[in-house]
Amino acid sequence: MTLVVTKPTEHALAADSGWAAEVTFHVRYAETDQMGIVHHSAYVPWLEEARSALSRQYGRPYADFERAGYGLAVTELHLRFITPARYDQAVTVRVRVSKVRSRGVDFEYAVVDAATGECLATGCTVHVCIDQAGRPVRIPPDWQAFWASLKR
Amino acid sequence: MTLVVTKPTEHALAADSGWAAEVTFHVRYAETDQMGIVHHSAYVPWLEEARSALSRQYGRPYADFERAGYGLAVTELHLRFITPARYDQAVTVRVRVSKVRSRGVDFEYAVVDAATGECLATGCTVHVCIDQAGRPVRIPPDWQAFWASLKR
Amino acid sequence: MTLVVTKPTEHALAADSGWAAEVTFHVRYAETDQMGIVHHSAYVPWLEEARSALSRQYGRPYADFERAGYGLAVTELHLRFITPARYDQAVTVRVRVSKVRSRGVDFEYAVVDAATGECLATGCTVHVCIDQAGRPVRIPPDWQAFWASLKR
Amino acid sequence: MTLVVTKPTEHALAADSGWAAEVTFHVRYAETDQMGIVHHSAYVPWLEEARSALSRQYGRPYADFERAGYGLAVTELHLRFITPARYDQAVTVRVRVSKVRSRGVDFEYAVVDAATGECLATGCTVHVCIDQAGRPVRIPPDWQAFWASLKR
C-alpha cells in the first residue's frame, strides 16, 4: 500500500543535487503486495541500503563502525510515499547526512525512478550512537568528522 | 537497529486507555538483526497487522474493503523507537483512528511489552482511499462512518 | 507465487495426529505479493515461529539455548506449496521433531487452514548445533533429550 | 541461522560454468539476524531476483509473462546452506533452467561470494504455469522455447 498524488516540493527535493551518495537496484518480486505495487515496508531496508552504500563508497563501511564496538540505532523513521514503485523497476535511492549531533546522526533520502528521476518517496531517519550494551554514547571523533563531511 | 532512551510522554501515550483495538504476538526470530534486537523495519508490518485486527475485531475486515474495489494506500509513515523489542518477546500493538477525511484515514499506534505494558515504540500512518486504478477517491459512506466511530 | 494442485498424501500428512505443537496466526498483508497470494518466502519465518512455539510450549524457549552459548543453524530447507494462503486467513503451523543426531535436529511441518484443516504447505528443515564461533558441536545432553522426547 | 560445513560437491556445482545468468548485490543489514549472519529466509528472494535477472538479461522480463496473463507459481523450494553470508558482503546468485515441462519450469541456483567464488548456498525451485484464476495451464510456446533455450 503506497501512493499516487505527486507534490512539486517532493520532486524538487528529489532532483536537488546535494546528495552524498546513491544506490540503484531492481525492485524484487517479494517486495510487492496484493495491491500490485511495492509494499510500504520494503522502502525501509532500501533507505538502510543507501546508508550502507554511502559508508562503503566513502571507504568507511558501517561494518567497521560495528567492529569498533558501536552502533547507530534508529530512533525515528519518517517516510512519505509519492508514486508507487513496481516490480522490476530500476530504483535509485539517494542519501545525505542532514544533521550530526554529539551522540547521533540524521539522514535524508529520496527514492526515485532510475531512468526518469521521478520521485517515488522521500524519507528521513534519526539515529543515536550506542555501545555494545545499547547505551547512548558520544560518536567517536573520526566518525563524527566523517558524517559531518557528508552534510549538505 | 532501534533504541534505548525512554520518554515519559511516550509512556503516557502507550498507557492511554483510548485505544480501539490491540493485537498480541511473539517476536519472530527472523525479525531480529545482528544488533541482537528487532530490526526497525519489522515494526511496519506490525502496525499493519494492528489495522487488520482492528477491522477484523469490529466485523469489517479490510479484505471486504478491497473486495468492494477500494484500497487504503499508505502515504505517510512515522515511527519512534523507544526500547528495543527482542526475540520471542510477547508484544502488543494498540491502534486507533486519529483522523477521518473524505478521502483518507489516519491511524495511531503504540507498541508495548504485552506483560509489563512498557512502551517500545509509537507510530502513525496516513492513508488515502484509492480505487482499483490507484486513483484517490472518496471513502464509501459506510466505511467512513465505521472509521469515524473508532476515532478517539 | 505458490499453488494450486492438492495431493492426497500431503493432506494425509497434515491431518496426521503426531504433531508436537502448533501455532495459529493471521496472514499479514505484507506477506502477500502481486499474485494476490502469500509470497512463498513468507512461509520460512512461519516454520521458524512454529519451532519457537514448540520450545516455548514445552518450557524450553530457544532463547535459553542461545543464552547457553549454542545455536541451531539451518543447513537445509525444503518446502512444498499445495494451496495458496491468502491475506487475513487464519493459518496453523504444526511441527514435530523428525530426527535427532548428536550434532543436529530435523523438524517437519504442515501449514494448514486453521478453520478447515486444509493443507496449504508442508516442509522440513535440517539443523546443526553450533557454538558461538559458528563451529558444529555436539548438542548438550539435556537439549538432545528434550528434542528426542518430541520425536514422533 | 545458516551454516558452516563446506562440501566439495557443492563447490563443484557453484563453479560449474553452465550458468545462464547471474546477479550481484550487497547483503542488506535487514537480512541479518541475531546470530550475526544472514537469516536463511533472506535467500529466497535472492533466488527469485536471479530468476528476474535471467528474464531481464535475455530480453524477456517476467513482467511480460504476467502481462500476458500467466504466472509461474512456486510449488517446491529447496535450499542448502553451506557457509553463512554476512552483512555488506557482495554476493552473486547464479541461475539456470534445469527442466522444462509442458506446464512447468525448474530452476537451479548457486549463491557464491562475489569476490572469491566461495559457495554459500545452493538451491532449486519447481514452478507450475498458472492462468490468472490460478489454474495450472500449458506454458505458451514462445515462453516454453525461451526457457528450454536456457537449459544446460
Side-chain angles (χ1 to χ4, degrees):
Chain A
M1 299 196 276
T2 325
L3 187 77
V4 171
V5 195
T6 54
K7 302 183 187 177
T9 55
E10 299 291 341
H11 286 291
L13 175 61
D16 180 350
S17 61
W19 298 102
E22 65 178 40
V23 61
T24 296
F25 50 83
H26 289 268
V27 170
R28 298 174 179 179
Y29 198 93
E31 293 171 333
T32 64
D33 66 23
Q34 69 182 36
M35 277 184 115
I37 57 179
V38 172
H39 191 266
H40 61 286
S41 65
Y43 293 73
V44 183
W46 293 1
L47 304 190
E48 188 174 61
E49 181 53 20
R51 291 197 300 280
S52 289
L54 176 71
S55 277
R56 195 191 300 137
Q57 289 168 22
Y58 285 87
R60 291 191 76 99
Y62 178 72
D64 286 356
F65 191 65
E66 288 200 337
R67 271 188 286 269
Y70 300 96
L72 267 196
V74 178
T75 58
E76 277 190 66
L77 163 69
H78 188 251
L79 268 164
R80 185 166 294 180
F81 303 97
I82 319 293
T83 302
R86 294 185 185 278
Y87 165 61
D88 214 32
Q89 184 175 5
V91 159
T92 297
V93 185
R94 295 173 177 151
V95 60
R96 67 181 153 207
V97 173
S98 57
K99 193 188 262 186
V100 179
R101 288 163 285 110
S102 63
R103 292 166 176 245
V105 188
D106 302 353
F107 295 89
E108 283 181 349
Y109 313 84
V111 181
V112 306
D113 179 274
T116 66
E118 179 188 12
C119 183
L120 307 176
T122 59
C124 57
T125 53
V126 176
H127 302 254
V128 168
C129 183
I130 56 171
D131 62 17
Q132 282 173 328
R135 284 181 303 248
V137 293
R138 300 182 74 85
I139 302 173
D142 55 331
W143 282 91
Q144 194 170 16
F146 166 57
W147 280 310
S149 75
L150 301 176
K151 201 166 158 291
R152 304 299 151 103
Chain B
M1 300 196 276
T2 325
L3 187 75
V4 171
V5 195
T6 53
K7 302 182 186 176
T9 56
E10 299 292 342
H11 286 292
L13 175 60
D16 180 347
S17 61
W19 297 101
E22 66 178 40
V23 61
T24 297
F25 49 83
H26 289 267
V27 171
R28 298 175 179 178
Y29 197 92
E31 293 170 334
T32 64
D33 66 23
Q34 70 182 38
M35 277 184 114
I37 58 179
V38 172
H39 190 265
H40 61 286
S41 65
Y43 293 72
V44 184
W46 293 0
L47 304 190
E48 188 174 61
E49 181 53 19
R51 290 198 301 281
S52 290
L54 176 71
S55 278
R56 195 190 302 136
Q57 289 167 21
Y58 285 87
R60 293 192 74 100
Y62 178 73
D64 286 356
F65 191 65
E66 288 199 337
R67 271 189 284 269
Y70 299 95
L72 267 197
V74 179
T75 58
E76 278 189 65
L77 164 69
H78 187 251
L79 268 164
R80 185 167 294 179
F81 303 96
I82 318 293
T83 303
R86 296 184 184 277
Y87 165 61
D88 214 31
Q89 184 175 4
V91 159
T92 297
V93 185
R94 295 172 177 152
V95 61
R96 68 181 153 208
V97 174
S98 57
K99 194 188 262 187
V100 179
R101 289 162 284 109
S102 62
R103 293 167 175 245
V105 188
D106 301 353
F107 295 89
E108 283 180 349
Y109 313 83
V111 181
V112 305
D113 179 274
T116 66
E118 179 187 13
C119 184
L120 307 176
T122 59
C124 56
T125 53
V126 176
H127 303 254
V128 168
C129 183
I130 57 172
D131 62 17
Q132 283 174 328
R135 283 181 305 248
V137 293
R138 299 182 75 86
I139 303 173
D142 55 330
W143 282 91
Q144 195 171 16
F146 166 58
W147 281 311
S149 76
L150 301 177
K151 199 165 159 290
R152 305 298 151 103
Chain C
M1 299 197 278
T2 326
L3 188 76
V4 170
V5 195
T6 54
K7 301 182 187 177
T9 56
E10 298 292 341
H11 285 292
L13 176 60
D16 179 349
S17 61
W19 298 102
E22 66 178 39
V23 61
T24 296
F25 50 83
H26 289 267
V27 171
R28 297 174 179 180
Y29 197 93
E31 293 170 334
T32 65
D33 66 22
Q34 70 182 35
M35 278 184 115
I37 58 179
V38 171
H39 191 266
H40 60 286
S41 65
Y43 293 73
V44 184
W46 293 0
L47 305 189
E48 186 174 63
E49 181 53 19
R51 290 196 301 280
S52 290
L54 177 71
S55 279
R56 195 191 300 137
Q57 288 167 23
Y58 285 87
R60 293 191 74 98
Y62 178 73
D64 286 356
F65 191 66
E66 288 199 336
R67 269 187 288 269
Y70 299 96
L72 267 197
V74 179
T75 58
E76 277 190 66
L77 163 70
H78 188 251
L79 266 164
R80 184 165 294 179
F81 303 97
I82 318 293
T83 301
R86 295 183 185 277
Y87 164 62
D88 214 31
Q89 184 175 5
V91 159
T92 296
V93 186
R94 295 174 178 151
V95 61
R96 66 180 155 209
V97 173
S98 56
K99 194 187 262 185
V100 179
R101 288 163 284 110
S102 63
R103 292 166 177 247
V105 189
D106 301 353
F107 295 89
E108 283 181 348
Y109 314 83
V111 181
V112 305
D113 180 274
T116 66
E118 180 187 12
C119 183
L120 307 176
T122 58
C124 56
T125 54
V126 176
H127 302 254
V128 168
C129 183
I130 56 171
D131 63 16
Q132 283 174 327
R135 284 180 304 245
V137 293
R138 299 183 75 85
I139 303 174
D142 55 331
W143 282 91
Q144 195 171 14
F146 166 57
W147 281 310
S149 75
L150 301 177
K151 201 166 158 291
R152 304 298 151 104
Chain D
M1 299 196 277
T2 324
L3 190 76
V4 166
V5 195
T6 55
K7 301 182 187 176
T9 57
E10 299 291 340
H11 285 293
L13 175 60
D16 179 348
S17 61
W19 297 102
E22 65 178 41
V23 61
T24 296
F25 50 84
H26 289 268
V27 171
R28 297 174 179 179
Y29 198 92
E31 293 171 333
T32 63
D33 66 23
Q34 69 182 37
M35 276 185 115
I37 58 179
V38 171
H39 190 266
H40 61 286
S41 65
Y43 293 73
V44 184
W46 292 1
L47 304 190
E48 187 174 62
E49 181 53 18
R51 292 198 299 280
S52 290
L54 177 71
S55 279
R56 195 191 301 137
Q57 288 167 23
Y58 286 87
R60 293 191 75 98
Y62 178 72
D64 286 356
F65 191 65
E66 288 199 337
R67 271 188 286 269
Y70 299 96
L72 268 196
V74 179
T75 59
E76 278 190 64
L77 163 70
H78 188 251
L79 268 164
R80 185 167 293 179
F81 303 97
I82 318 295
T83 302
R86 296 184 183 275
Y87 165 62
D88 214 32
Q89 184 175 5
V91 159
T92 297
V93 185
R94 295 173 178 151
V95 61
R96 66 180 154 209
V97 173
S98 57
K99 193 188 264 185
V100 179
R101 289 163 283 111
S102 62
R103 294 167 175 243
V105 189
D106 301 354
F107 295 89
E108 283 181 349
Y109 314 83
V111 181
V112 306
D113 180 275
T116 67
E118 179 187 13
C119 183
L120 307 176
T122 59
C124 57
T125 53
V126 176
H127 302 254
V128 168
C129 183
I130 55 171
D131 63 15
Q132 283 174 327
R135 284 181 303 248
V137 293
R138 297 182 77 86
I139 303 173
D142 56 330
W143 282 91
Q144 195 171 14
F146 166 58
W147 281 310
S149 75
L150 301 177
K151 200 166 159 288
R152 304 299 152 103

